[in-house]
Amino acid sequence: MYRYIRVLKGAFFALLFSLSALLPSYAAITADGPGSGVAGPRETVPEEGAQTEALWQDPASPHPLEMEVVYGYDNTARSGRILPMTIRVTNSTKEDFTGTLRAATLEPEYSPYGNSSLSEYSTYRYEYPIEVKAGETVEKKIQISLSIQVDQVLLSLVDQEGKETAGRRIRLDLNLDTAELYVGVLSDHPERLSYMDHMGINYSTLRTRLIELDQDTMPESRQELDQLDVLLINDFDTGSLDSRQLEAVWEWTQSGGTLLFGTGEHANETLGAFSKALLASPLPQAVEFELDMESSQESSEYGDSRIVLNCTEVDLKGSTEVMTKGPMEIISSTPVGRGMAAAAIYDFGDLKEYGTDNPSYVDRLFTELIGENRLNLLSSGNGGSSAGRYWEVQSLINTGNVNRLPKVGLYVTLAVAYVALAGPGLYFFLKQRELRQYYQPAVAILSLCCTGMVLLMGIPTRFNGPFFTYASIQDAGEEDVSETLFINMRSPYNHSYGVSLDPSYRLFPVCDSSYYNPGTVPALVDSEDPDMVIRYKEDETYIEARDTGAFNPSYFQMERNLPNETGQGFSGEIRAFEGTITGTITNNYPWTVENAALLLYNQMVMIGTIEPGQTISLDGRELIYCATDLGYAMAAQITGASRYGQKVNIEDPDYVRALERTNLLSFYVENYFSGYHTQARVVAFSQEQKETGFLRNPGTETYGCTLLTSELDVNYEQDGLVSRSAMQKQPHVLAGEYDAARNTIYGINPVVLEYYLGNELGVDTLHFHRLSEGVVANLRYYYTVPFEGNMYFYNYNTGSYDRMDSAVSQYNREELDSYLSPGNTITVKYVYDTAGEYTWNIMLPVLTVTGRRQP
């Protein structure tokens, strides 16, 4: 019913639009109770088969088949994630079966015409070819998108004649009462980690849930790991995993997962398969340490919680301290794409007794590791959900080619000319020639001519079939190229249509989230035709949109990884030290790139255009201090959109191109490059605006932009000194309102922050970097201003705050001697000058520290 309402609405609005000014168009059967599905019986295992209800099984069919279903982990699932399912089909007859496996579910849909307080749902059906030999059992692994609060999946088998022979309905076991943190455990002795299971964290708003994995059950694709938040590898030889499993783990981490290693005596085996990608230096031999497990970082004295553990110091590339004790770095982490990898110096299994007696340890571990902001999202039930990206993705691909916009001035000129000719002009012309009796036929002929001109003028603005707008992010590394592609599929007609896509991409819908607009999820019934069909074949992925309205958008996310056989991407050597950047960057693409820039943490270097094969020197270029987490403001500077200010001109192709690129780069920075990172990223845009590589048949019209990125290592050392950000660990807020992600303060009350400078570094110089002038001017459009006021350092000798000269931006070791704590922290009080324009979004200075590594 929802589909027909949408079609009528779409047709009505399309009719109104087409008639205005003669301008062309621009263009589930539910379970009866907990026992009727698989809700409740978590003991269901693949060997026994999932206890779902058989909807139908035609005894007259020549192919009576049996289906067993296992989904998620232990037959539990989380909505808002990709749901892996394993379907076992048994053919007990003597005839082979060839047909299609169908999986249908619901996706919420934003309706611009309907009541915004209610959610409409569309039926999405996934179809997979399947063949079962006589007397055999085939296991089919699939992954489908499971939207928030949707707990229904309808499975069916269809033969080659289109006849349904068997089916299952599933009421998914969703825990909607308690938010959970899913922790996958890969260990030879998982029982030693049982103290981590069902523990309350983040003020008990989340409860941990351990998912035991092994070499046989470890997934082979990133999508199968999507249900997890953390993957803990402890006391396990990662070398025993095959290449597909290792690739799945790495891709999952890059897409936002948290990969945690426990080491101790088994560090070499546990980190072995990932050592090349993660380790900055070889692992030393494990040694015994007596560790104080109390949470205080500053205290170097051992308390009552002393444990003797076998420990291995792990030196990760570009590491950030997560948990420390005195000079000892207990857990460190490093960014991996949108996610991170972390390693502890001990085996988590050795802490079973301590963790059982001290439940707060598990809370502290995951809070420090994941961060409160991320945990709060998970607690809300929306963390990790692809549905949360709907509005961001919409801004990327809900645009079009401005060349298809009608020339309004030309139409106005034609309309004025028509009125002038059809009115007094034609009348007086015929009157002077005493031909007034031909006035009406002449007006009719003139009207036909003008109508023909309107139709001819509208040809460039019309679409002849389905078309795509897209936004592509291509990240080129030394060994492979990963591509994330967002597409908006539309058609100018009010009827069904289909498109064929490259099967090398993994494809999932991006739909509106019912989390923000909860309502009753409608029943998923077998008699209802699907609104969208995604048909997977060997040579294509076919999408069929059924009875959709004209120009109704359909959003999808596509992903793939390919080996970098041609060496495309950016390469170079970079050194950054105390506000100076040196080195080179080379464009290894066979085409020119535009709007190129080098991004570091809270810093960037503008480059511009780079020709194919050209090497650009960074020496002498300005290092701009900016706000990385204010992605749109930074992206607008790189693409040139900031030059337009608040002026909007959609008829200017340069403005529209800059706006599209700004939206894409902003999305990339905020979703893929946020948080502290030691590596640099080269970003640039391809000149090509009509990419068709994702299409199986390239004849369909496309329009969009492609962001090209590559990660480069940065050398922060010079003459034995190391220069790095003092904000690699978020400052501890002692007073006031502070947003760590954006480094901003709010209100008129003083803000007191404690910065952790790192125990392994002997501080030589501390720098306070304020925003560059061009950044300040641009940020004003986003109601963000730099800090102006007084700054105070806490004096550990006197126990009071000393006022510092706000004009000074650098302090040496002697000047800092009274202000550094034994734990190498410095406490700064900021008192904002309330005479300024704003009392919110006050951007603080960015701190960097220079010193020598401690032995």
Side-chain angles (χ1 to χ4, degrees):
M1 181 177 67
Y2 291 115
R3 183 175 72 248
Y4 298 115
I5 294 175
R6 289 197 308 271
V7 171
L8 291 175
K9 290 175 178 177
F12 176 71
F13 279 84
L15 179 61
L16 290 180
F17 190 63
S18 63
L19 291 177
S20 59
L22 292 177
L23 294 181
S25 297
Y26 176 56
I29 299 178
T30 58
D32 298 327
S36 62
V38 293
R42 293 184 178 180
E43 68 276 10
T44 302
V45 294
E47 287 73 12
E48 299 175 357
Q51 299 183 19
T52 55
E53 179 182 347
L55 287 178
W56 63 87
Q57 186 162 331
D58 186 358
S61 172
H63 304 290
L65 305 175
E66 297 178 359
M67 281 198 298
E68 295 179 354
V69 183
V70 177
Y71 64 86
Y73 297 101
D74 298 329
N75 272 348
T76 60
R78 306 172 73 185
S79 60
R81 306 286 183 102
I82 295 174
L83 177 66
M85 304 184 73
T86 300
I87 298 96
R88 289 180 175 175
V89 181
T90 301
N91 185 357
S92 56
T93 70
K94 297 181 179 181
E95 297 184 23
D96 297 343
F97 173 82
T98 301
T100 301
L101 171 65
R102 293 176 174 177
T105 186
L106 297 172
E107 292 284 357
E109 180 180 352
Y110 170 72
S111 174
Y113 314 122
N115 188 342
S116 60
S117 64
L118 299 176
S119 295
E120 294 185 1
Y121 285 81
S122 297
T123 303
Y124 277 64
R125 190 171 73 194
Y126 303 80
E127 297 185 355
Y128 306 85
I130 188 170
E131 182 176 349
V132 189
K133 299 291 185 181
E136 293 185 356
T137 297
V138 170
E139 185 174 274
K140 189 77 171 180
K141 292 186 176 182
I142 66 173
Q143 300 94 38
I144 64 173
S145 173
L146 187 64
S147 188
I148 291 177
Q149 296 185 345
V150 173
D151 62 353
Q152 307 164 53
V153 178
L154 191 64
L155 298 174
S156 61
L157 287 170
V158 181
D159 60 23
Q160 289 181 304
E161 286 73 33
K163 185 176 182 179
E164 295 176 334
T165 62
R168 295 271 180 184
R169 67 173 176 186
I170 303 176
R171 173 77 72 173
L172 300 173
D173 183 9
L174 302 180
N175 188 352
L176 300 178
D177 299 325
T178 304
E180 292 182 314
L181 182 78
Y182 272 35
V183 182
V185 173
L186 198 55
S187 174
D188 290 333
H189 303 283
E191 69 279 357
R192 300 174 65 222
L193 303 171
S194 60
Y195 67 92
M196 293 186 176
D197 198 17
H198 293 96
M199 300 300 299
I201 60 175
N202 196 33
Y203 308 102
S204 295
T205 59
L206 276 170
R207 188 164 295 276
T208 59
R209 182 183 183 89
L210 296 191
I211 307 296
E212 294 184 11
L213 302 169
D214 55 33
Q215 182 179 355
D216 296 328
T217 60
M218 187 67 189
E220 297 181 348
S221 70
R222 193 274 295 175
Q223 288 76 20
E224 293 180 86
L225 289 167
D226 193 60
Q227 293 267 313
L228 300 180
D229 300 299
V230 180
L231 178 59
L232 171 58
I233 304 179
N234 189 85
D235 187 15
F236 181 84
D237 184 4
T238 54
S240 63
L241 299 176
D242 62 36
S243 59
R244 290 176 298 179
Q245 292 171 323
L246 292 173
E247 185 179 357
V249 172
W250 196 248
E251 288 185 11
W252 170 81
T253 307
Q254 289 179 316
S255 66
T258 299
L259 180 61
L260 176 61
F261 295 93
T263 58
E265 292 183 296
H266 309 285
N268 283 295
E269 293 82 3
T270 303
L271 282 163
F274 300 94
S275 58
K276 181 180 178 181
L278 293 177
L279 296 182
S281 59
L283 293 169
Q285 291 293 324
V287 295
E288 281 192 353
F289 280 114
E290 187 178 35
L291 295 180
D292 184 5
M293 302 302 293
E294 292 294 333
S295 60
S296 173
Q297 290 182 346
E298 294 187 5
S299 173
S300 60
E301 299 294 330
Y302 291 122
D304 297 331
S305 302
R306 292 178 294 176
I307 304 178
V308 177
L309 298 171
N310 287 304
C311 300
T312 301
E313 295 187 50
V314 181
D315 184 15
L316 298 176
K317 295 179 180 179
S319 65
T320 301
E321 297 167 351
V322 176
M323 294 178 64
T324 60
K325 184 63 181 179
M328 180 71 68
E329 187 175 299
I330 305 299
I331 301 178
S332 57
S333 69
T334 185
V336 179
R338 292 160 48 204
M340 72 171 174
I345 64 174
Y346 45 64
D347 185 322
F348 286 104
D350 294 341
L351 297 177
K352 181 178 181 180
E353 182 177 350
Y354 173 79
T356 302
D357 296 337
N358 299 271
S360 61
Y361 169 75
V362 178
D363 183 9
R364 180 163 56 96
L365 168 65
F366 289 111
T367 300
E368 294 288 341
L369 180 67
I370 300 175
E372 290 188 8
N373 292 337
R374 169 73 170 161
L375 290 177
N376 288 335
L377 279 175
L378 292 170
S379 300
S380 69
N382 200 35
S385 168
S386 60
R389 285 187 174 184
Y390 175 81
W391 296 106
E392 293 179 296
V393 170
Q394 185 189 53
S395 67
L396 297 182
I397 52 180
N398 201 26
T399 57
N401 190 345
V402 294
N403 293 326
R404 284 191 171 273
L405 286 173
K407 308 299 181 183
V408 177
L410 189 58
Y411 283 97
V412 171
T413 302
L414 179 61
V416 172
Y418 170 74
V419 172
L421 288 175
L426 188 59
Y427 176 78
F428 288 113
F429 176 79
L430 295 175
K431 180 180 179 182
Q432 290 178 355
R433 290 162 176 74
E434 296 183 356
L435 298 173
R436 283 180 296 179
Q437 66 273 21
Y438 298 108
Y439 176 71
Q440 290 184 347
V443 170
I445 294 173
L446 182 61
S447 299
L448 290 174
C449 293
C450 289
T451 300
M453 291 185 64
V454 169
L455 293 175
L456 290 174
M457 291 164 56
I459 289 176
T461 69
R462 297 191 186 94
F463 294 94
N464 298 319
F467 63 98
F468 290 89
T469 51
Y470 68 88
S472 174
I473 301 173
Q474 297 182 12
D475 186 8
E478 293 183 2
E479 298 181 356
D480 60 5
V481 178
S482 63
E483 181 179 2
T484 301
L485 182 68
F486 300 98
I487 61 173
N488 181 5
M489 182 179 72
R490 286 173 285 184
S491 172
Y493 308 118
N494 288 315
H495 57 66
S496 302
Y497 66 95
V499 294
S500 179
L501 305 179
D502 189 331
S504 65
Y505 287 91
R506 300 177 292 272
L507 180 140
F508 294 94
V510 178
C511 298
D512 188 15
S513 172
S514 60
Y515 170 79
Y516 298 104
N517 209 5
T520 302
V521 179
L524 179 61
V525 295
D526 175 57
S527 59
E528 183 174 346
D529 291 332
D531 300 277
M532 192 73 63
V533 177
I534 302 175
R535 189 172 297 122
Y536 295 96
K537 300 180 180 179
E538 291 186 2
D539 58 344
E540 68 173 355
T541 298
Y542 188 79
I543 302 180
E544 181 182 357
R546 298 188 173 181
D547 296 326
T548 185
F551 297 101
N552 276 4
S554 298
Y555 304 128
F556 295 91
Q557 179 174 340
M558 305 174 68
E559 299 175 346
R560 71 172 176 180
N561 285 74
L562 298 174
N564 192 358
E565 299 176 349
T566 60
Q568 294 184 357
F570 300 100
S571 59
E573 297 181 356
I574 302 172
R575 169 178 280 129
F577 190 83
E578 293 192 340
T580 302
I581 190 83
T582 58
T584 60
I585 294 175
T586 302
N587 174 20
N588 298 314
Y589 288 101
W591 57 76
T592 301
V593 298
E594 301 175 331
N595 300 131
L598 178 69
L599 306 183
L600 296 90
Y601 180 64
N602 278 321
Q603 303 166 72
M604 67 178 178
V605 179
M606 308 286 284
I607 298 175
T609 300
I610 312 179
E611 301 296 331
Q614 183 181 5
T615 297
I616 298 292
S617 174
L618 299 175
D619 298 358
R621 291 180 180 265
E622 179 186 7
L623 190 61
I624 300 173
Y625 283 87
C626 55
T628 302
D629 289 293
L630 286 172
Y632 194 89
M634 184 184 67
Q637 285 187 280
I638 295 174
T639 62
S642 59
R643 295 194 304 265
Y644 295 90
Q646 300 298 310
K647 298 178 181 179
V648 176
N649 184 7
I650 63 172
E651 294 184 356
D652 184 354
D654 293 334
Y655 167 78
V656 174
R657 183 184 301 109
L659 182 63
E660 291 171 343
R661 292 181 174 182
T662 300
N663 288 337
L664 179 54
L665 182 55
S666 172
F667 175 86
Y668 172 77
V669 170
E670 294 178 358
N671 287 276
Y672 293 78
F673 204 54
S674 61
Y676 176 75
H677 43 267
T678 57
Q679 291 84 7
R681 283 274 177 180
V682 180
V683 295
F685 288 90
S686 170
Q687 289 181 332
E688 180 60 54
Q689 293 291 107
K690 293 184 179 181
E691 184 170 320
T692 58
F694 61 93
L695 296 173
R696 187 67 177 84
N697 299 314
T700 306
E701 182 175 342
T702 65
Y703 177 83
C705 59
T706 299
L707 175 65
L708 308 172
T709 75
S710 289
E711 182 181 88
L712 301 180
D713 292 330
V714 182
N715 184 354
Y716 294 96
E717 298 187 16
Q718 182 174 305
D719 300 329
L721 295 174
V722 178
S723 177
R724 72 178 190 192
S725 174
M727 303 176 69
Q728 61 178 5
K729 191 174 182 66
Q730 290 186 359
H732 180 49
V733 183
L734 301 179
E737 299 292 330
Y738 174 71
D739 183 355
R742 295 178 180 264
N743 193 32
T744 55
I745 62 176
Y746 302 86
I748 61 175
N749 295 325
V751 174
V752 182
L753 302 179
E754 181 185 39
Y755 296 94
Y756 178 62
L757 306 183
N759 284 316
E760 85 292 354
L761 198 66
V763 178
D764 184 73
T765 309
L766 184 64
H767 298 264
F768 286 75
H769 299 281
R770 290 169 172 80
L771 297 175
S772 301
E773 292 183 4
V775 176
V776 172
N778 192 31
L779 285 177
R780 289 185 183 275
Y781 292 116
Y782 309 99
Y783 305 101
T784 301
V785 296
F787 172 79
E788 296 290 345
N790 297 319
M791 188 169 63
Y792 302 81
F793 289 177
Y794 180 75
N795 192 317
Y796 285 89
N797 294 331
T798 65
S800 60
Y801 284 93
D802 296 341
R803 181 177 176 179
M804 313 305 291
D805 185 354
S806 58
V808 177
S809 60
Q810 177 177 322
Y811 299 89
N812 58 36
R813 174 69 194 190
E814 291 74 20
E815 294 171 318
L816 294 171
D817 191 57
S818 300
Y819 307 113
L820 291 177
S821 73
N824 225 21
T825 66
I826 184 170
T827 301
V828 183
K829 178 193 289 186
Y830 297 95
V831 181
Y832 179 61
D833 184 358
T834 56
E837 311 178 50
Y838 305 111
T839 57
W840 67 93
N841 283 355
I842 312 303
M843 186 73 63
L844 296 182
V846 175
L847 276 63
T848 61
V849 60
T850 303
R852 297 184 184 274
R853 296 188 186 274
Q854 300 282 15

